[in-house]
Amino acid sequence: MTTTVVVPTIGRPSLGRLLASLEAAEGTTPAIIVVDDRPGGEPLELARPGVVVLRSGGRGPAAARNRGWRAATTEWVSFLDDDVVVEPDWLRHLEEDLADAGPDVVAVQGRLRVPRPSRPLTDAERSTASLETARWITADLTVRRAALREVGGLDERFRRAYREDADLGLRLQPLGRIVPGRRGIVHPFRADGTWFSVRQQRGNADDVLMDRLHGRGWRDRAGAPAGALRRHRVTVAAACGAVLWAVSGRRRAAACCAAAWAALTARFARSRIAPGPRDLEEVRRMVLTSVAIPFAAVGWRLAGRWRHRGAVPRRMLPEAVLFDRDGTLVHDVPYNRDPDLVAPVDGAREALARLRDAGVAVGVVSNQSGVARGLIAPHELEAVNRRVEELLGPFATWQVCRHGPDDGCGCRKPRPGLVRQACDELGVDAARCVVVGDIGADVLAASAAGAAGVLVPTPQTRAEEVAAAPRVEADVPAAVRSILRGDW
């Protein structure tokens, strides 16, 4: 088949049901990549033939999907959530969907069905049922891999399963059509506890990021409802007014504000109770959460404004930033074979965290001729690299040249081999990549590979290298700040 199924997961039991439904479906089973997004622990073991398991380090479903599609080699990539079940004819209809997709089609959306009980739905069930009409939902979305590569994949700044699909759809639209398909999946209800609707308010922070990336009109283009944030703001303002007037001794004003808050809260609770089953437990949940939701919504909105205050559109960010190791990320210890001597340069860990939070892949490209010279054993090199990751966090790719200067290899910088290998492993175009290093060979390797280069000179950097560099920044944090501003 011309597609690869990619399933991000945190190891829920529902994953087994999804994989079983794929095995039982009519048609040819495609390659399946399961991406384990748990932050640590033992690797996920799946005793199923043909299923490849990768890890994404707990960075959220957008990062997990990126890890999966970049490992695929097929023309199409089919995203499925780990809590759905495919219908028996899903594979057959998927083949038909892709066969019918003309060259102007960049994605085909599956049909999502939520089985309903005979009674009225609870508030949490209505939230799940609303997925049936959601646009571009990645619970079942098949996308051309070339289109994913062109837009840079999913934006990993969306750390939750919310809005990352709308963002992807808006970025795919200029490339072609997103059409509905024949295939279908079933999305069951799940028990999410009393405070599920309060936890959902974290999405208000993601909405701020959508505003920053796509402008205030993105809801109309994505078919997303407006929400109730304006009413929540009024409710919170009334509550705050009641407290402030009470503290200042203005009892009448405080009473008016308290009455307004109570009326707004009661109206909100009634609107949520009315369409539901109205049993005692559901009414209790609606009353409790209706008090909390306005404050949670406004709080997360403010948090989003702070967190995403400098966010720029994805097209302005590189897909990957590759760093030299010695002299750039860590202080240079010639031919270092001792992990205890690894010391990060000032601000490196924080700068790398900013890139990861922005959804930019980070990697290392390093010349280590000490191996060829017999000064460093391979296992010692690996131990030092592991220590670098312990101190600076995980890297999406490590590319190391172990050859000597006279070996004539194509990977030793200033040759482009390491940069090209890193880009190939990450599935990114070198033109969407930045290389940061402390000597001229680093920026020359970037240029030879078609990437951008940034020099962060140290006292050992020669003056002529600084003069020849296309871009110079004072240190790694300064280089990262300029990259995240879109200035690369």
PDB file of all heavy atoms in Angstrom, residues 431-461:
ATOM      1  N   ALA A 431      17.627  23.262   3.316  1.00  0.00           N
ATOM      2  CA  ALA A 431      17.347  24.689   3.216  1.00  0.00           C
ATOM      3  C   ALA A 431      16.520  25.195   4.394  1.00  0.00           C
ATOM      4  O   ALA A 431      16.446  26.402   4.612  1.00  0.00           O
ATOM      5  CB  ALA A 431      16.618  24.996   1.909  1.00  0.00           C
ATOM      6  N   ARG A 432      15.912  24.267   5.161  1.00  0.00           N
ATOM      7  CA  ARG A 432      15.128  24.636   6.344  1.00  0.00           C
ATOM      8  C   ARG A 432      15.882  24.281   7.615  1.00  0.00           C
ATOM      9  O   ARG A 432      15.285  24.030   8.660  1.00  0.00           O
ATOM     10  CB  ARG A 432      13.784  23.911   6.321  1.00  0.00           C
ATOM     11  CG  ARG A 432      12.936  24.178   5.105  1.00  0.00           C
ATOM     12  CD  ARG A 432      12.262  25.535   5.185  1.00  0.00           C
ATOM     13  NE  ARG A 432      11.421  25.640   6.361  1.00  0.00           N
ATOM     14  CZ  ARG A 432      10.945  26.782   6.829  1.00  0.00           C
ATOM     15  NH1 ARG A 432      11.241  27.911   6.229  1.00  0.00           N
ATOM     16  NH2 ARG A 432      10.172  26.801   7.895  1.00  0.00           N
ATOM     17  N   CYS A 433      17.200  24.277   7.523  1.00  0.00           N
ATOM     18  CA  CYS A 433      18.042  23.860   8.641  1.00  0.00           C
ATOM     19  C   CYS A 433      19.097  24.937   8.924  1.00  0.00           C
ATOM     20  O   CYS A 433      19.560  25.620   8.016  1.00  0.00           O
ATOM     21  CB  CYS A 433      18.707  22.526   8.296  1.00  0.00           C
ATOM     22  SG  CYS A 433      19.893  21.938   9.517  1.00  0.00           S
ATOM     23  N   VAL A 434      19.460  25.076  10.205  1.00  0.00           N
ATOM     24  CA  VAL A 434      20.512  26.009  10.616  1.00  0.00           C
ATOM     25  C   VAL A 434      21.587  25.215  11.341  1.00  0.00           C
ATOM     26  O   VAL A 434      21.284  24.334  12.157  1.00  0.00           O
ATOM     27  CB  VAL A 434      19.972  27.110  11.549  1.00  0.00           C
ATOM     28  CG1 VAL A 434      21.077  28.084  11.947  1.00  0.00           C
ATOM     29  CG2 VAL A 434      18.828  27.867  10.890  1.00  0.00           C
ATOM     30  N   VAL A 435      22.845  25.524  11.050  1.00  0.00           N
ATOM     31  CA  VAL A 435      23.983  24.906  11.734  1.00  0.00           C
ATOM     32  C   VAL A 435      24.674  25.985  12.562  1.00  0.00           C
ATOM     33  O   VAL A 435      25.001  27.056  12.054  1.00  0.00           O
ATOM     34  CB  VAL A 435      24.978  24.285  10.738  1.00  0.00           C
ATOM     35  CG1 VAL A 435      26.177  23.687  11.484  1.00  0.00           C
ATOM     36  CG2 VAL A 435      24.292  23.225   9.884  1.00  0.00           C
ATOM     37  N   VAL A 436      24.882  25.691  13.849  1.00  0.00           N
ATOM     38  CA  VAL A 436      25.527  26.633  14.768  1.00  0.00           C
ATOM     39  C   VAL A 436      26.840  26.015  15.235  1.00  0.00           C
ATOM     40  O   VAL A 436      26.862  24.889  15.748  1.00  0.00           O
ATOM     41  CB  VAL A 436      24.627  26.931  15.982  1.00  0.00           C
ATOM     42  CG1 VAL A 436      25.312  27.925  16.927  1.00  0.00           C
ATOM     43  CG2 VAL A 436      23.278  27.477  15.530  1.00  0.00           C
ATOM     44  N   GLY A 437      27.934  26.737  15.041  1.00  0.00           N
ATOM     45  CA  GLY A 437      29.241  26.226  15.453  1.00  0.00           C
ATOM     46  C   GLY A 437      30.202  27.338  15.781  1.00  0.00           C
ATOM     47  O   GLY A 437      29.908  28.525  15.580  1.00  0.00           O
ATOM     48  N   ASP A 438      31.381  26.947  16.263  1.00  0.00           N
ATOM     49  CA  ASP A 438      32.336  27.951  16.751  1.00  0.00           C
ATOM     50  C   ASP A 438      33.540  28.147  15.843  1.00  0.00           C
ATOM     51  O   ASP A 438      34.409  28.967  16.159  1.00  0.00           O
ATOM     52  CB  ASP A 438      32.820  27.569  18.159  1.00  0.00           C
ATOM     53  CG  ASP A 438      33.637  26.276  18.162  1.00  0.00           C
ATOM     54  OD1 ASP A 438      33.220  25.310  17.485  1.00  0.00           O
ATOM     55  OD2 ASP A 438      34.695  26.244  18.821  1.00  0.00           O
ATOM     56  N   ILE A 439      33.614  27.415  14.732  1.00  0.00           N
ATOM     57  CA  ILE A 439      34.737  27.601  13.817  1.00  0.00           C
ATOM     58  C   ILE A 439      34.234  27.652  12.372  1.00  0.00           C
ATOM     59  O   ILE A 439      33.083  27.290  12.092  1.00  0.00           O
ATOM     60  CB  ILE A 439      35.807  26.487  13.959  1.00  0.00           C
ATOM     61  CG1 ILE A 439      35.216  25.122  13.630  1.00  0.00           C
ATOM     62  CG2 ILE A 439      36.421  26.495  15.358  1.00  0.00           C
ATOM     63  CD1 ILE A 439      36.270  24.009  13.602  1.00  0.00           C
ATOM     64  N   GLY A 440      35.098  28.073  11.483  1.00  0.00           N
ATOM     65  CA  GLY A 440      34.714  28.233  10.089  1.00  0.00           C
ATOM     66  C   GLY A 440      34.242  26.952   9.437  1.00  0.00           C
ATOM     67  O   GLY A 440      33.371  26.977   8.557  1.00  0.00           O
ATOM     68  N   ALA A 441      34.803  25.793   9.834  1.00  0.00           N
ATOM     69  CA  ALA A 441      34.392  24.522   9.230  1.00  0.00           C
ATOM     70  C   ALA A 441      32.911  24.254   9.436  1.00  0.00           C
ATOM     71  O   ALA A 441      32.266  23.630   8.586  1.00  0.00           O
ATOM     72  CB  ALA A 441      35.218  23.377   9.825  1.00  0.00           C
ATOM     73  N   ASP A 442      32.353  24.726  10.541  1.00  0.00           N
ATOM     74  CA  ASP A 442      30.937  24.505  10.818  1.00  0.00           C
ATOM     75  C   ASP A 442      30.056  25.246   9.816  1.00  0.00           C
ATOM     76  O   ASP A 442      29.112  24.676   9.250  1.00  0.00           O
ATOM     77  CB  ASP A 442      30.600  24.945  12.251  1.00  0.00           C
ATOM     78  CG  ASP A 442      31.346  24.133  13.289  1.00  0.00           C
ATOM     79  OD1 ASP A 442      31.371  22.900  13.175  1.00  0.00           O
ATOM     80  OD2 ASP A 442      31.896  24.735  14.230  1.00  0.00           O
ATOM     81  N   VAL A 443      30.345  26.515   9.591  1.00  0.00           N
ATOM     82  CA  VAL A 443      29.502  27.294   8.672  1.00  0.00           C
ATOM     83  C   VAL A 443      29.782  26.907   7.221  1.00  0.00           C
ATOM     84  O   VAL A 443      28.889  26.973   6.376  1.00  0.00           O
ATOM     85  CB  VAL A 443      29.692  28.805   8.899  1.00  0.00           C
ATOM     86  CG1 VAL A 443      29.166  29.203  10.269  1.00  0.00           C
ATOM     87  CG2 VAL A 443      31.135  29.229   8.745  1.00  0.00           C
ATOM     88  N   LEU A 444      30.997  26.459   6.919  1.00  0.00           N
ATOM     89  CA  LEU A 444      31.283  25.989   5.574  1.00  0.00           C
ATOM     90  C   LEU A 444      30.533  24.693   5.272  1.00  0.00           C
ATOM     91  O   LEU A 444      30.021  24.495   4.162  1.00  0.00           O
ATOM     92  CB  LEU A 444      32.782  25.781   5.391  1.00  0.00           C
ATOM     93  CG  LEU A 444      33.635  27.058   5.310  1.00  0.00           C
ATOM     94  CD1 LEU A 444      35.113  26.703   5.313  1.00  0.00           C
ATOM     95  CD2 LEU A 444      33.278  27.857   4.049  1.00  0.00           C
ATOM     96  N   ALA A 445      30.446  23.808   6.262  1.00  0.00           N
ATOM     97  CA  ALA A 445      29.672  22.569   6.085  1.00  0.00           C
ATOM     98  C   ALA A 445      28.203  22.884   5.858  1.00  0.00           C
ATOM     99  O   ALA A 445      27.541  22.261   5.022  1.00  0.00           O
ATOM    100  CB  ALA A 445      29.841  21.666   7.302  1.00  0.00           C
ATOM    101  N   ALA A 446      27.690  23.872   6.606  1.00  0.00           N
ATOM    102  CA  ALA A 446      26.299  24.281   6.419  1.00  0.00           C
ATOM    103  C   ALA A 446      26.073  24.783   5.007  1.00  0.00           C
ATOM    104  O   ALA A 446      25.126  24.387   4.324  1.00  0.00           O
ATOM    105  CB  ALA A 446      25.933  25.364   7.437  1.00  0.00           C
ATOM    106  N   SER A 447      26.954  25.662   4.543  1.00  0.00           N
ATOM    107  CA  SER A 447      26.810  26.236   3.206  1.00  0.00           C
ATOM    108  C   SER A 447      26.884  25.161   2.125  1.00  0.00           C
ATOM    109  O   SER A 447      26.105  25.167   1.171  1.00  0.00           O
ATOM    110  CB  SER A 447      27.889  27.292   2.983  1.00  0.00           C
ATOM    111  OG  SER A 447      27.813  27.824   1.685  1.00  0.00           O
ATOM    112  N   ALA A 448      27.824  24.213   2.291  1.00  0.00           N
ATOM    113  CA  ALA A 448      27.986  23.158   1.292  1.00  0.00           C
ATOM    114  C   ALA A 448      26.756  22.250   1.218  1.00  0.00           C
ATOM    115  O   ALA A 448      26.442  21.702   0.167  1.00  0.00           O
ATOM    116  CB  ALA A 448      29.233  22.329   1.610  1.00  0.00           C
ATOM    117  N   ALA A 449      26.039  22.107   2.345  1.00  0.00           N
ATOM    118  CA  ALA A 449      24.846  21.264   2.368  1.00  0.00           C
ATOM    119  C   ALA A 449      23.585  22.018   1.963  1.00  0.00           C
ATOM    120  O   ALA A 449      22.529  21.413   1.804  1.00  0.00           O
ATOM    121  CB  ALA A 449      24.660  20.680   3.767  1.00  0.00           C
ATOM    122  N   GLY A 450      23.690  23.336   1.823  1.00  0.00           N
ATOM    123  CA  GLY A 450      22.523  24.139   1.493  1.00  0.00           C
ATOM    124  C   GLY A 450      21.771  24.654   2.696  1.00  0.00           C
ATOM    125  O   GLY A 450      20.632  25.121   2.576  1.00  0.00           O
ATOM    126  N   ALA A 451      22.401  24.590   3.884  1.00  0.00           N
ATOM    127  CA  ALA A 451      21.783  25.063   5.112  1.00  0.00           C
ATOM    128  C   ALA A 451      22.320  26.452   5.466  1.00  0.00           C
ATOM    129  O   ALA A 451      23.303  26.926   4.892  1.00  0.00           O
ATOM    130  CB  ALA A 451      22.054  24.087   6.262  1.00  0.00           C
ATOM    131  N   ALA A 452      21.661  27.086   6.434  1.00  0.00           N
ATOM    132  CA  ALA A 452      22.156  28.364   6.955  1.00  0.00           C
ATOM    133  C   ALA A 452      23.180  28.092   8.044  1.00  0.00           C
ATOM    134  O   ALA A 452      23.099  27.090   8.752  1.00  0.00           O
ATOM    135  CB  ALA A 452      21.000  29.188   7.515  1.00  0.00           C
ATOM    136  N   GLY A 453      24.157  28.984   8.181  1.00  0.00           N
ATOM    137  CA  GLY A 453      25.195  28.820   9.179  1.00  0.00           C
ATOM    138  C   GLY A 453      25.286  30.018  10.098  1.00  0.00           C
ATOM    139  O   GLY A 453      25.136  31.161   9.662  1.00  0.00           O
ATOM    140  N   VAL A 454      25.517  29.751  11.380  1.00  0.00           N
ATOM    141  CA  VAL A 454      25.703  30.813  12.372  1.00  0.00           C
ATOM    142  C   VAL A 454      26.982  30.508  13.148  1.00  0.00           C
ATOM    143  O   VAL A 454      27.146  29.395  13.672  1.00  0.00           O
ATOM    144  CB  VAL A 454      24.519  30.906  13.349  1.00  0.00           C
ATOM    145  CG1 VAL A 454      24.760  32.018  14.371  1.00  0.00           C
ATOM    146  CG2 VAL A 454      23.217  31.134  12.600  1.00  0.00           C
ATOM    147  N   LEU A 455      27.872  31.464  13.199  1.00  0.00           N
ATOM    148  CA  LEU A 455      29.127  31.309  13.936  1.00  0.00           C
ATOM    149  C   LEU A 455      28.986  31.943  15.312  1.00  0.00           C
ATOM    150  O   LEU A 455      28.546  33.089  15.437  1.00  0.00           O
ATOM    151  CB  LEU A 455      30.272  31.974  13.174  1.00  0.00           C
ATOM    152  CG  LEU A 455      31.683  31.779  13.759  1.00  0.00           C
ATOM    153  CD1 LEU A 455      32.149  30.345  13.559  1.00  0.00           C
ATOM    154  CD2 LEU A 455      32.671  32.753  13.102  1.00  0.00           C
ATOM    155  N   VAL A 456      29.363  31.198  16.355  1.00  0.00           N
ATOM    156  CA  VAL A 456      29.411  31.742  17.716  1.00  0.00           C
ATOM    157  C   VAL A 456      30.872  31.644  18.166  1.00  0.00           C
ATOM    158  O   VAL A 456      31.301  30.650  18.730  1.00  0.00           O
ATOM    159  CB  VAL A 456      28.456  30.988  18.658  1.00  0.00           C
ATOM    160  CG1 VAL A 456      27.014  31.371  18.383  1.00  0.00           C
ATOM    161  CG2 VAL A 456      28.590  29.477  18.537  1.00  0.00           C
ATOM    162  N   PRO A 457      31.654  32.663  17.900  1.00  0.00           N
ATOM    163  CA  PRO A 457      33.096  32.567  18.087  1.00  0.00           C
ATOM    164  C   PRO A 457      33.516  32.451  19.547  1.00  0.00           C
ATOM    165  O   PRO A 457      32.835  32.949  20.454  1.00  0.00           O
ATOM    166  CB  PRO A 457      33.615  33.870  17.470  1.00  0.00           C
ATOM    167  CG  PRO A 457      32.459  34.799  17.490  1.00  0.00           C
ATOM    168  CD  PRO A 457      31.241  33.961  17.351  1.00  0.00           C
ATOM    169  N   THR A 458      34.632  31.774  19.751  1.00  0.00           N
ATOM    170  CA  THR A 458      35.299  31.668  21.045  1.00  0.00           C
ATOM    171  C   THR A 458      36.688  32.271  20.886  1.00  0.00           C
ATOM    172  O   THR A 458      37.085  32.655  19.775  1.00  0.00           O
ATOM    173  CB  THR A 458      35.413  30.193  21.471  1.00  0.00           C
ATOM    174  OG1 THR A 458      36.318  29.525  20.568  1.00  0.00           O
ATOM    175  CG2 THR A 458      34.053  29.502  21.431  1.00  0.00           C
ATOM    176  N   PRO A 459      37.452  32.379  21.951  1.00  0.00           N
ATOM    177  CA  PRO A 459      38.826  32.908  21.802  1.00  0.00           C
ATOM    178  C   PRO A 459      39.679  32.111  20.825  1.00  0.00           C
ATOM    179  O   PRO A 459      40.659  32.630  20.286  1.00  0.00           O
ATOM    180  CB  PRO A 459      39.377  32.820  23.228  1.00  0.00           C
ATOM    181  CG  PRO A 459      38.178  32.963  24.108  1.00  0.00           C
ATOM    182  CD  PRO A 459      37.078  32.245  23.374  1.00  0.00           C
ATOM    183  N   GLN A 460      39.291  30.845  20.570  1.00  0.00           N
ATOM    184  CA  GLN A 460      40.073  30.018  19.648  1.00  0.00           C
ATOM    185  C   GLN A 460      39.661  30.231  18.181  1.00  0.00           C
ATOM    186  O   GLN A 460      40.360  29.767  17.273  1.00  0.00           O
ATOM    187  CB  GLN A 460      39.912  28.537  20.002  1.00  0.00           C
ATOM    188  CG  GLN A 460      40.692  28.092  21.247  1.00  0.00           C
ATOM    189  CD  GLN A 460      40.125  28.676  22.513  1.00  0.00           C
ATOM    190  OE1 GLN A 460      38.911  28.668  22.723  1.00  0.00           O
ATOM    191  NE2 GLN A 460      40.989  29.216  23.372  1.00  0.00           N
ATOM    192  N   THR A 461      38.551  30.911  17.934  1.00  0.00           N
ATOM    193  CA  THR A 461      38.099  31.143  16.561  1.00  0.00           C
ATOM    194  C   THR A 461      39.003  32.165  15.892  1.00  0.00           C
ATOM    195  O   THR A 461      39.285  33.220  16.458  1.00  0.00           O
ATOM    196  CB  THR A 461      36.649  31.658  16.560  1.00  0.00           C
ATOM    197  OG1 THR A 461      35.833  30.788  17.359  1.00  0.00           O
ATOM    198  CG2 THR A 461      36.096  31.691  15.145  1.00  0.00           C
TER     199      THR A 461
END
